[in-house]
Amino acid sequence: NHQHAVLQHYIRQLLFGPRSMITEYINADFIEKTLKDHNEGADNRLLIWGMMFFEGWLRTFIAGNGSQIRHF
């Protein structure tokens, strides 16, 4: 499925790309195993979503100054 391949690529870029910060906090082998197991049928959707969210949080609040956040 093309959409599945695009999503897999996006997740890998997010978690292992040059801007990635998550591997400073979570072991890269664990992340890799989680993704591999999910692709082989394990239901790791929530764990993967959590890692993606954590990466976004790190980029916003640790690497940045939080200025990307909109204040309503």
Side-chain angles (χ1 to χ4, degrees):
N1 182 334
H2 176 71
Q3 289 178 327
H4 187 73
V6 170
L7 187 56
Q8 283 182 334
H9 177 74
Y10 172 78
I11 292 170
R12 288 197 165 280
Q13 272 301 111
L14 182 69
L15 300 179
F16 293 111
R19 293 182 52 213
S20 176
M21 297 177 64
I22 195 169
T23 55
E24 295 177 33
Y25 300 90
I26 299 176
N27 183 286
D29 291 338
F30 173 78
I31 298 170
E32 186 65 49
K33 182 172 178 0
T34 300
L35 296 175
K36 179 179 176 281
D37 289 351
H38 184 75
N39 289 333
E40 293 175 354
D43 185 3
N44 291 332
R45 291 176 295 173
L46 291 178
L47 184 54
I48 294 168
W49 179 88
M51 289 188 288
M52 293 172 65
F53 186 86
F54 184 51
E55 176 64 34
W57 184 89
L58 288 169
R59 290 183 188 190
T60 300
F61 294 103
I62 303 301
N65 61 10
S67 63
Q68 299 93 331
I69 301 300
R70 292 184 179 166
H71 300 279
F72 295 97

